[in-house]
Amino acid sequence: MDLISPHIPLSIIASLTFYPLLFVTLWKKQWIRTILPPRADPQKHYHLCNKIVASAHSTIMALTGTYLLMSVDWTKNDITTYKSSLTPFLVGLELGYLTQDTAFEFYQRAVFGVGSNLILFHHVAVIMGSVYYLYALTLTNPGPYFIGMLSLMNLSTPILHLRWALQSRGRTFFNSRLKRVVDTALLVSYFWSRIIGNWWMSVAIGAKLGVAWYEVPFHIAMKFTITSTTIFIMNLIWWLVLIKQWIGSAQAFYLGGPLKAPAALSSMPSSASRSGVRSPVKRTRHLRDTNSNNSTP
C-alpha cells in the first residue's frame, strides 16, 4: 500500500493538521483560562485545551457515525460489504487524532511529569487497529456498519470532559445538583453508546450469520473475537467504575452532607509548581488525579 493509495484517506492528514492547530489556538485564548480557577497551574490549562480538542473530535466522530448508520437502508445492504466513503474517513480521522494525541501524551509526561498509562495503551491499541483496517481496505471493504457503531462510542466523551472542567472549579460543583445531572448523563450515555452499542453489534452479526448474539464469538475469526471481547470487557469495567462513583456521590450528597473536592482540585498550586518545579509528592498527586478522574477511554 503506497502513499498515493486511495485507501489512505485524506482525513488522516486533515486531523493531523486541524487538531494541533485547534489546540494552539485554544492555548493562546485568554478566555479559555477563565474556565479554570484563577490560580490554576499550566498543567490544568494544558489538560483543558486538550480535552476541548478531544470533545470536538468525539462530536465529529459521533455525528458522522450517526449519519452513516441512518443514511443507509441496512435491510437492503450488507453490513460487512456495503461500500461507503465514510468508513475510511472515520478510521482516518480517528487514526490521525490518536496519533497526535499520543504525541501530546508523551509531551505532558516530559514537561509536567504526569500521564495515564491506560490512555496510552488505549491509543496505541486503537492506532494499530486503525492501521490494520486501512490495510484491509486494499483487500475488501469490511464493516461499514460496525465502523459507524464504534464511532457512536464517542457520544459519552464530551460529557466526561465537561465533568472534568466543572470539577476543576472545585468544591462549588461537588456540592451542587448539577454534578448529579452531569454524572447521570455520563452514566446513561456511556451505557447506551458503549455497552448497548457493543451488544447490538453482536446482534447484527448474529442476524447475518443466522445465530444468536451470544454465539457470535464462536462463528467469527479469532482476531475479531479477541478484539470485540476486549472492547466489551474494558467498557463494562469502566461503566461499573462510573456506577460506583455515581452511587458514592449520590449517597454523600443526599445522605452525608456536603462533599469535599479532591485535594488536587481544592488546593492552590504551591510556589514550587508555579516556578515549574514539582516535588515527588506533588507529581504523584497530579498523576493520581489525572488517572482517577479522566482516564475513561
Side-chain angles (χ1 to χ4, degrees):
M1 185 170 62
D2 55 45
L3 293 178
I4 60 173
S5 169
H7 300 300
I8 298 182
L10 292 177
S11 55
I12 296 179
I13 300 175
S15 57
L16 285 172
T17 304
F18 172 70
Y19 293 130
L21 286 177
L22 177 58
F23 179 91
V24 172
T25 301
L26 292 170
W27 182 265
K28 294 180 178 180
K29 297 297 182 181
Q30 286 298 320
W31 65 267
I32 292 293
R33 299 177 184 270
T34 63
I35 299 175
L36 299 171
R39 297 177 62 188
D41 62 10
Q43 185 224 345
K44 287 288 186 183
H45 183 209
Y46 180 93
H47 273 300
L48 176 61
C49 294
N50 205 27
K51 290 179 184 301
I52 293 175
V53 173
S55 297
H57 168 72
S58 298
T59 301
I60 295 172
M61 290 290 293
L63 290 177
T64 308
T66 300
Y67 176 78
L68 172 61
L69 294 172
M70 299 289 290
S71 62
V72 178
D73 185 352
W74 296 107
T75 62
K76 298 179 180 179
N77 295 284
D78 192 273
I79 60 176
T80 58
T81 60
Y82 176 76
K83 294 186 180 298
S84 171
S85 59
L86 287 179
T87 51
F89 170 83
L90 285 167
V91 175
L93 197 68
E94 183 79 351
L95 176 57
Y97 167 77
L98 292 177
T99 299
Q100 62 87 39
D101 198 52
T102 300
F104 274 68
E105 178 72 18
F106 282 114
Y107 176 82
Q108 76 167 356
R109 288 168 182 259
V111 175
F112 301 114
V114 299
S116 169
N117 292 330
L118 179 60
I119 288 180
L120 190 60
F121 169 78
H122 167 268
H123 281 18
V124 172
V126 178
I127 286 173
M128 293 176 63
S130 299
V131 171
Y132 174 79
Y133 178 84
L134 293 178
Y135 165 74
L137 281 179
T138 63
L139 308 175
T140 181
N141 189 55
Y145 185 86
F146 308 109
I147 296 300
M149 291 296 295
L150 289 171
S151 298
L152 290 187
M153 291 186 182
N154 288 276
L155 280 172
S156 60
T157 303
I159 303 176
L160 173 71
H161 295 326
L162 172 64
R163 185 179 71 163
W164 180 91
L166 293 172
Q167 286 180 168
S168 297
R169 299 296 300 176
R171 188 173 291 106
T172 301
F173 173 69
F174 278 83
N175 292 332
S176 69
R177 293 186 182 276
L178 177 60
K179 177 170 172 56
R180 307 321 106 176
V181 174
V182 174
D183 284 351
T184 301
L186 177 59
L187 188 68
V188 173
S189 62
Y190 195 98
F191 176 76
W192 280 103
S193 62
R194 292 178 179 262
I195 305 300
I196 295 298
N198 209 310
W199 167 77
W200 186 254
M201 284 192 285
S202 295
V203 172
I205 297 175
K208 174 181 172 60
L209 299 178
V211 299
W213 66 270
Y214 52 84
E215 297 177 297
V216 167
F218 305 104
H219 290 81
I220 59 178
M222 180 61 67
K223 58 187 175 184
F224 298 127
T225 298
I226 294 174
T227 301
S228 59
T229 302
T230 301
I231 292 174
F232 179 77
I233 291 175
M234 292 182 66
N235 284 332
L236 182 61
I237 291 173
W238 276 111
W239 187 61
L240 294 175
V241 170
L242 289 176
I243 291 177
K244 181 180 179 180
Q245 292 177 351
W246 185 89
I247 293 175
S249 177
Q251 286 179 337
F253 181 77
Y254 291 108
L255 302 177
L259 293 172
K260 293 183 179 180
L265 296 178
S266 59
S267 61
M268 290 295 102
S270 65
S271 58
S273 66
R274 287 196 298 272
S275 65
V277 179
R278 297 188 187 277
S279 67
V281 174
K282 186 75 172 179
R283 292 161 70 96
T284 302
R285 186 178 64 198
H286 276 271
L287 179 59
R288 183 172 63 249
D289 173 48
T290 301
N291 290 343
S292 62
N293 288 329
N294 309 292
S295 56
T296 306

